[in-house]
């Protein structure tokens, strides 16, 4: 069994940077892929990218490549999602999720990011 | 922008069977990529319902079943219950191993 705990809600201004986290617990976590999923208010799920905790092999959706950075620290079983310059359109709920293949068996509770001047 | 198309909504009376389609292309589902299905009750995180086209994780009722053929996949819910009212999403991968979710389907129990 894997548990994912995400960092808390954030309120930021346009142009600011942000890094949110997703800490996993459970056995064999270095064998898992951890992905990030965006859900804008009232909208559907969007696959952003995924990272293999064991060696940090990373894949991005073309829609998000260059817009965010996904990273991980396997020593503390934590994945990160980072923005260098936030926009109002980044306002959304962000979920991390984990799976042994490319399905998402386990989900975090979500981190709400609000970007507003 | 999703390349997996689902009907926006489906509805059924308690006890009925409903199906949700997920239409892709030769670069994702049709290329042999697995399809997974998730249930999301509003205000909560999604939950894996079906993985690798047809398999149910432990704890998921056998009322839920998945299938795949060609460039499409389907999720069927038999014996519809009030607790099944939720949003449902399919997910697959394209040839560059970038994932994609479907557009989502709202299931309403009449």
């Amino acid at each position: 069994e894997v548990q994912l705990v995400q960092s808390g809600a954030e309120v930021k201004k346009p142009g600011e940077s942000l890094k949110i986290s997703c800490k996993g617990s459970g056995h064999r976590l270095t064998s898992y892929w951890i992905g990030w999923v965006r859900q804008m208010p009232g909208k559907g799920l969007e696959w952003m990218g995924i990272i293999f905790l064991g060696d940090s092999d990373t894949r991005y959706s073309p829609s998000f490549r260059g817009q965010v950075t996904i990273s991980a620290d396997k020593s503390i079983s934590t994945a990160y999602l980072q923005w260098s310059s936030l926009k109002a359109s980044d306002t959304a709920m962000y979920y991390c999720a984990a799976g042994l293949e490319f399905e998402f068996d386990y989900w975090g509770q979500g981190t709400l990011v609000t970007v507003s001047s | 922008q999703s390349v997996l198309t689902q009907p926006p909504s489906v509805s059924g009376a308690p006890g009925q069977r409903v199906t949700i389609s997920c239409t892709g292309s030769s670069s994702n589902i049709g290329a042999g990529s697995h399809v997974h299905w998730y249930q999301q009750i509003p205000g909560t995180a999604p939950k894996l319902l079906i993985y690798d086209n047809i398999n149910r994780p432990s704890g998921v009722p056998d009322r839920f079943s998945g299938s795949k053929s060609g460039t499409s996949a389907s999720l069927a819910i038999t014996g519809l219950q009030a607790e099944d009212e939720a949003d449902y999403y399919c997910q697959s991968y394209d040839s560059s191993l970038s994932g994609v979710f479907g557009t989502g389907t709202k299931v309403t129990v009449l």
Side-chain angles (χ1 to χ4, degrees):
Chain A
E1 184 78 13
V2 169
Q3 292 84 42
L4 300 174
V5 177
Q6 298 185 229
S7 49
E10 301 274 1
V11 179
K12 292 291 201 179
K13 290 181 166 42
E16 291 185 332
S17 63
L18 176 64
K19 191 174 188 178
I20 62 175
S21 66
C22 170
K23 181 171 177 58
S25 60
H27 72 291
R28 293 177 58 217
L29 266 175
T30 52
S31 300
Y32 280 79
W33 290 87
I34 297 183
W36 289 95
V37 176
R38 183 174 79 174
Q39 188 166 38
M40 299 176 77
K43 302 298 184 183
L45 305 177
E46 298 176 89
W47 197 98
M48 300 177 71
I50 198 164
I51 188 165
F52 187 67
L53 210 50
D55 64 5
S56 292
D57 181 11
T58 308
R59 318 281 170 85
Y60 290 94
S61 162
S63 299
F64 290 94
R65 184 183 298 275
Q67 308 305 309
V68 296
T69 301
I70 294 171
S71 60
D73 183 342
K74 70 177 181 181
S75 69
I76 54 171
S77 302
T78 300
Y80 301 96
L81 179 64
Q82 183 174 2
W83 295 261
S84 59
S85 181
L86 287 160
K87 303 184 284 286
S89 58
D90 292 318
T91 294
M93 180 71 81
Y94 292 87
Y95 293 102
C96 68
L100 287 172
E101 299 287 335
F102 291 149
E103 79 288 354
F104 291 140
D105 299 81
Y106 307 100
W107 291 72
Q109 82 276 20
T111 295
L112 181 63
V113 174
T114 303
V115 184
S116 173
S117 54
Chain B
Q1 189 165 349
S2 177
V3 296
L4 300 181
T5 302
Q6 301 178 228
S9 63
V10 299
S11 61
Q16 285 191 329
R17 179 179 187 268
V18 297
T19 61
I20 301 169
S21 60
C22 173
T23 302
S25 69
S26 58
S27 66
N28 41 65
I29 298 175
S33 297
H34 287 314
V35 178
H36 316 299
W37 290 90
Y38 302 87
Q39 177 194 59
Q40 186 181 31
I41 294 168
T44 70
K47 168 190 170 184
L48 181 66
L49 268 187
I50 298 287
Y51 68 96
D52 294 352
N53 310 317
I54 61 171
N55 299 301
R56 280 187 310 277
S58 174
V60 173
D62 59 7
R63 302 185 291 104
F64 295 93
S65 62
S67 63
K68 175 188 162 185
S69 178
T71 58
S72 295
S74 290
L75 173 72
I77 311 173
T78 56
L80 195 63
Q81 298 183 5
E83 67 205 51
D84 300 332
E85 193 159 283
D87 297 317
Y88 293 82
Y89 296 89
C90 60
Q91 183 222 330
S92 188
Y93 300 89
D94 67 19
S95 52
S96 65
L97 291 180
S98 171
V100 61
F101 283 101
T103 49
T105 298
K106 181 177 179 60
V107 169
T108 301
V109 182
L110 301 172

